[in-house]
DNA sequence: AGCAGTAGATGCGGGGTACT
DNA sequence: AGTACCCCGCATCTACTGCT
């Protein structure tokens, strides 16, 4: 049987290929997946359903399905509730599609999905109906057992914070900005894809040319890797207001005496004509993090973000830049990357 | 055999404590 | 009361060890 990781990747690619509109039913979607992978996936219906939810978010509370696809055990993650208290009340409900709220395990999935929202944006206490096991539960590792005591909220900061990536590392992970966890995940995918683990000691990483540029060594191990990786992860100012209540930030600022703008490792990138027009300042080069910050400033200033579903509703100016009417919050940096180029 | 815990690094939020 | 600081948990990865 295919691994969950492979299956998740396959679900993602299929969703991207066809778009949300192409998913008419879970059965149909599974059939497409089965054709792609050449195996029976009926036992994975629940997992696939969860993956679709993670990818599409609250736009798709549940993929329409018949009761035969998700068996009784799997469907225990969902509890049918009266329409009035639906978690997704702001979404027009389709006829014949049951509404659900999450029991604890799926609440974790939902919380994970919200990771890129700031805590003041995502407030389950106001969006979710009162529940003995509210979606306020912290993000937990899959290994953790069910009866986790209520802890403080996880929130979008910390490890989920989106950081900038140096051009060297960008050639590996493929994105200009990512969460640290995502960077590590993509890096490991790259290592496996290129078979860079020492067969005798799989903790050891043999660097190819691209990786050598990043790590500046011929080989490293999985523990040192994160340390080396840190040099290529650049904090973005947008996700954290300068002078906010971060105790450590205050401490490090005091100790180091560093202005935020002087943090090294960033490169000036050439601005596309479209982005230059959007910025309207006449400048032709910009730091990647600064470009992202300005776009987000514009989005916030014009109240273009729908905090309920973390979508950006593009006005005419943004439509000219991104060539679309709406975009997910997490997709902004990706779209922006098409307007920034390395200097030749 | 299968599962849980551990190793290491990262940045941030928040609880707890100590001090002014 | 307000400020400063320490410490922990969080996610992610793989290989290994110890326990059931």
């Amino acid at each position: 049987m295919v691994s969950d990781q492979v299956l998740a990747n396959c679900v993602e690619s299929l969703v991207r290929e066809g778009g949300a509109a192409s998913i008419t039913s879970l059965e149909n979607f599974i059939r497409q997946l089965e054709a792609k992978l050449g195996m029976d996936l009926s036992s994975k219906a629940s997992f696939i359903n969860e993956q679709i939810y993670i990818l599409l978010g609250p736009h798709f509370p549940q993929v329409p399905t018949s009761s035969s696809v998700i068996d009784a055990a799997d469907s225990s993650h969902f509890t049918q509730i009266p329409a009035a208290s639906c978690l997704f009340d702001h979404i027009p409900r389709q006829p014949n599609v049951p509404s659900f709220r999450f029991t604890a395990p799926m609440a974790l999935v939902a919380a994970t999905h919200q990771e890129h929202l700031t805590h003041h944006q995502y407030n389950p206490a106001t969006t979710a109906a009162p529940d003995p096991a509210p979606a306020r539960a912290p993000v937990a590792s899959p290994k953790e057992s069910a009866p986790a005591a209520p802890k403080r909220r996880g929130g979008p900061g910390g490890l989920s914070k989106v950081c900038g990536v140096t051009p060297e590392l960008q050639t590996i992970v493929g994105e200009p900005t990512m969460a640290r966890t995502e960077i590590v995940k993509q890096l490991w995918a790259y290592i496996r894809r290129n078979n860079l683990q020492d067969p005798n000691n799989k903790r050891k990483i043999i660097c190819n040319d691209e990786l050598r540029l990043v790590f500046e060594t011929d080989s490293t191990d999985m523990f040192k890797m994160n340390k080396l990786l840190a040099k290529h992860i650049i904090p973005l100012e947008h996700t954290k207001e300068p002078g906010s209540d971060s105790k450590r930030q205050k401490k490090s600022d005091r100790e180091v005496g560093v202005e935020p703008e002087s943090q090294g490792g960033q490169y000036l990138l050439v601005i596309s004509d479209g982005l230059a027009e959007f910025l309207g300042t006449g400048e032709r080069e910009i730091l990647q993090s600064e470009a992202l910050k300005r776009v987000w400033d514009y989005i916030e200033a014009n109240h273009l973000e729908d905090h309920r579903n973390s979508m950006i509703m593009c006005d005419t100016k943004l439509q000219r830049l991104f060539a679309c009417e709406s975009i997910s919050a997490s997709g902004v940096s990706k779209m922006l990357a098409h307007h920034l180029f390395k200097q030749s």
Side-chain angles (χ1 to χ4, degrees):
Chain A
M1 175 57 77
V2 64
S3 73
D4 285 354
Q5 180 64 52
V6 171
L7 189 53
N9 290 342
C10 225
V11 169
E12 184 181 356
S13 66
L14 201 56
V15 168
R16 288 193 198 287
E17 283 168 18
S22 69
I23 307 173
T24 54
S25 73
L26 183 61
E27 293 98 322
N28 190 17
F29 188 83
I30 290 173
R31 271 198 291 273
Q32 292 177 53
L33 264 182
E34 287 174 339
K36 196 168 182 175
L37 291 170
M39 62 179 70
D40 176 33
L41 297 171
S42 55
S43 63
K44 290 283 189 179
S46 177
F47 177 80
I48 293 165
N49 205 25
E50 288 174 9
Q51 292 303 310
I52 295 171
Y53 175 84
I54 292 167
L55 287 166
L56 299 179
H59 302 291
F60 264 78
Q62 281 302 290
V63 173
T65 177
S66 71
S67 58
S68 62
V69 176
I70 300 178
D71 61 29
D74 283 340
S75 62
S76 66
H77 286 317
F78 307 99
T79 307
Q80 280 196 272
I81 56 170
S85 57
C86 179
L87 179 63
F88 307 107
D89 267 348
H90 56 282
I91 301 163
R93 203 189 325 287
Q94 294 175 302
N96 307 323
V97 178
S99 58
F100 298 89
R101 71 179 166 193
F102 299 123
T103 52
M106 276 305 289
L108 298 181
V109 175
T112 305
H113 177 73
Q114 297 291 351
E115 66 182 6
H116 59 285
L117 297 180
T118 58
H119 61 276
H120 65 275
Q121 292 168 333
Y122 177 55
N123 185 354
T126 58
T127 54
D131 192 321
R136 204 178 306 128
V139 176
S141 84
K143 287 177 187 173
E144 281 184 26
S145 51
K151 294 176 184 173
R152 57 192 164 78
R153 38 119 262 133
L159 295 160
S160 301
K161 180 185 169 188
V162 176
C163 300
V165 173
T166 63
E168 291 87 358
L169 184 56
Q170 199 180 319
T171 62
I172 306 290
V173 300
E175 302 280 347
T177 58
M178 295 175 104
R180 177 180 294 277
T181 52
E182 192 64 23
I183 292 169
V184 175
K185 196 196 276 187
Q186 292 299 322
L187 181 59
W188 274 108
Y190 177 87
I191 290 167
R192 278 192 292 269
R193 207 163 48 236
N194 293 279
N195 198 24
L196 299 177
Q197 283 172 289
D198 186 337
N200 297 322
N201 179 4
K202 292 200 162 187
R203 293 182 178 196
K204 198 172 174 185
I205 312 296
I206 313 291
C207 297
N208 63 5
D209 291 341
E210 286 181 328
L211 216 50
R212 200 175 296 119
L213 280 175
V214 176
F215 292 153
E216 296 170 330
T217 178
D218 290 336
S219 68
T220 182
D221 65 57
M222 54 187 280
F223 296 135
K224 290 176 189 161
M225 191 173 78
N226 284 302
K227 195 172 187 176
L228 295 168
L229 205 51
K231 296 176 185 174
H232 293 272
I233 297 176
I234 308 155
L236 299 179
E237 280 80 43
H238 167 73
T239 53
K240 180 81 190 167
E241 286 188 31
S244 69
D245 55 356
S246 167
K247 297 165 188 175
R248 286 190 195 280
Q249 184 62 45
K250 284 185 206 165
K251 184 189 174 192
S252 59
D253 284 354
R254 263 197 323 279
E255 286 174 351
V256 182
V258 170
E259 293 297 319
E261 289 76 11
S262 69
Q263 286 169 333
Q266 288 210 69
Y267 298 78
L268 280 173
L269 298 172
V270 177
I271 299 172
S272 73
D273 292 340
L275 182 56
E277 183 191 338
F278 177 85
L279 296 174
T281 56
E283 59 197 319
R284 298 303 304 192
E285 292 176 345
I286 195 169
L287 288 174
Q288 184 182 321
S289 59
E290 179 61 23
L292 190 57
K293 178 180 183 296
R294 295 219 201 145
V295 172
W296 271 107
D297 285 347
Y298 178 85
I299 290 168
E300 287 175 0
N302 293 279
H303 309 291
L304 299 178
E305 184 176 12
D306 186 342
H307 291 165
R308 295 167 303 181
N309 55 18
S310 71
M311 288 296 288
I312 311 302
M313 312 312 294
C314 299
D315 62 1
T316 50
K317 196 174 171 186
L318 266 185
Q319 282 182 26
R320 273 202 299 277
L321 182 64
F322 290 155
C324 61
E325 292 182 356
S326 64
I327 182 174
S328 70
S330 56
V332 171
S333 59
K334 196 177 290 185
M335 292 298 279
L336 195 56
H338 297 144
H339 292 276
L340 294 167
F341 312 100
K342 286 184 198 176
Q343 301 180 64
S344 53

